[in-house]
Amino acid sequence: MTLTDLTWVVPLPVVVPLFAAGLALALWRHGRAQGVISVVALSVVLISSVVLLVAADEGPLVLDVGGWAAPVGIDLVADRLSTLMLTVSSAVTLCVLLYSLAQGVEDGDAETPIAIFHPTYLVLTAGVANAFLSGDLFNLYVGFEILLAASYVLITLGGTGERIRAGTIYVVVSLTSSIIFLLAIALVYAATGTVNLAQLAERLPDVDPAVQLALQLLLLLAFGIKAAVFPLSAWLPDSYPTAPAPVTAVFAGLLTKVGVYAVIRTQTLLFPDGRADDLLMWVALATMVVGILGAVAQNDIKRLVSFTLVSHIGYMIFGIAMSTELGLASAIFYVAHHITVQTALFLVVGLVERRGGSTSLDDLGGLAKLAPVLAVLFFIPAMNLAGIPPLSGFLGKAGLLQAGVQMGTPLAYALVTGAVVTSLLTLYAIVKAWNKAFWQTAPAAPPATRLPAGMVGPAGALVVLGVGLTVVAGPLFAYTERAAATLRDPVQYVTAVLPDGARGEGQSAEVAEDADAAGEAPAEVSGDVRDDGAQDDNREGDG
C-alpha cells in the first residue's frame, strides 16, 4: 500500500471522535453505552495515529477536505511532527478516559457526570487532533476553538463555587488569546492573501520585514497564552487544580502542548529567519525559573505540580528558540516525554488525594507504608520530571543542554545554566512533596479508603509508558531528529501541500471531470491564487 492509499486515514482522528460524541450525546441516558462508545472511538484514534506515525516517516500525507486541493481548499497534513504529537496524545487521552470511567463508577459520577463528560471529552479529543493536523492557519484556529469550547465545560464539571470561579478565569484568558489569534489571522490574510500554511511559507518572505515581525509577535502572543509561558501563565495554577483529577490530567498533558506545537509549526514554517529567537530565549528562561520558584513555594501538591508544568514549558521554548536541528529535535522529544509524564503525575496526585484525603502536604503523610504501590507510581514519574538519569526527562534535557552549548552564545549559556538550576529545584520540590506525603508521619489518620484497580491501572499504564519512552529513546530521538530536519527545510511540506506538485490543479476532482467532458481547459486556479506576483511578471514579459 502506497502513501497515497493511506490518505483516508488522515481524517479519522478528527472524524471518529466527533461522530462518537454525537452518538454518546444521543445515548445520554445510558452511561455504560457512552463509556463503550468512547473507549472504542479513542482506541480507533490511537490505532490510526500509529498508522500515520509510521506512514509519515516516508513523507507528509495530505488530505484535501471536500476534494478541493490547496490553496483553494483546506488540507489536513500528517507529517512527522503532527503524527508524533497525535500518537502520544491519543495514548494519553485513552488512559485518562479509562481512569475517569473507574472514578465515575466509584464516586457515582458526582465528580465527572457521564452524560456531560463523554460527549465533551470526545469533542476535546477531536479539537486536539484537528489542531495537530491542520495545514491552514484558520483551521488551526478552529481546532483551538473546538478544544477550548469543550474545556470550558470540563473545567467546571460538578458546578462547585471554586470550579466556577477558576473556570471563569480560564474562559476569560482563553477568549482573550482566541481574539488575538483571530486578529493575527486577519492581518496575515491582509498582508498575504492566504491563510494556507504552505502558501504562507512562500509569500511571507516577500512581505515587508516590519510587517512580518508584527505578525510573528502577534501569533506568539496568542500561542504564548495558550502554552502558558511567562508572563502569560498566571492563570494556569489557579485554574487546573480545581477541576476533577482526570480533567486536570488531560489539560496538563495536552492543552498547553497544543500551544507549543503551534509555536513550533509557525516559527519553523512561516518565520524561519529567527528574528524573535532572542526574545523566545528570554521568555524560556523566565518561564523555567519563575515557574519552578512558584513550585518550591507551594504546600499543596496539586498547585506544586501545576507550577512545575509551567516551568517545564520553558524547556520546550528553549529548544524552539535555538532554531538548530538538535535544539528542535530535543524540544520535540521533550514535548512527547512531558505529555506522558505530566499526565501520569496528575493522575497519581488524584490517587494521593483519594487515599490521603487531602492535597495539602501538611495534612498528608505515611502513604509509603499505607499504599506502597501508590508510592512507586508517584516516585517514578516524579524522578522522570526532575530529570534523573537514565529516564527520558534526563535524555531530553541533555539534548537541550548539548544544543545550547553548541550554540555557544552568552544567552544560550544563560539558558543552559537556568535549565540546570530549574532541574535541581524541580528535584528539591519533588523530594519535599515525597517526604511530606509519603515518608513523614501523618498528623492524623487518613481515611480508610481503598484505591480502585480501575483507577490505579490506567495511571500505572501511563507511568509505564513514560518509562517506555526511555527504553525506546534511541529510535524516538532519531525520529524527532528527522522531524526537526524536515521542519528546518520545509520544501517537502510545501511541495506536498501545494498543487504544483503531483496533487492536481487546485480544484475539485468533479470540476476537473466536468471541464474535461465539456472539452474546456482546466481553470488555472492554483497559479492565479498561488503567486499573483509571478503572474504579473509573466504578463509584463509578454507585453
Side-chain angles (χ1 to χ4, degrees), residues 229-231 277-293 310-319 321 401 410-423 425:
V229 300
F230 183 84
D277 286 353
D278 286 351
L279 173 62
L280 285 176
M281 282 196 168
W282 284 112
V283 167
L285 180 60
T287 303
M288 284 190 287
V289 174
V290 174
I292 200 56
L293 290 178
V310 172
S311 176
H312 286 248
I313 295 294
Y315 285 97
M316 307 168 203
I317 301 300
F318 177 28
L401 297 181
L411 186 53
Y413 281 120
L415 264 295
V416 168
T417 304
V420 172
V421 171
T422 298
S423 190
L425 289 176

Side-chain angles (χ1 to χ4, degrees), residues 4 9 20 38 60 73 150 169 195 207 217 241-242 304 324 401 417 436 451 469 523 536:
T4 304
V9 182
S38 298
I169 296 172
V195 291
V207 174
L217 294 178
T242 62
L304 186 152
T324 63
L401 297 181
T417 304
K436 289 191 172 185
L451 293 177
L469 293 183
D536 292 341

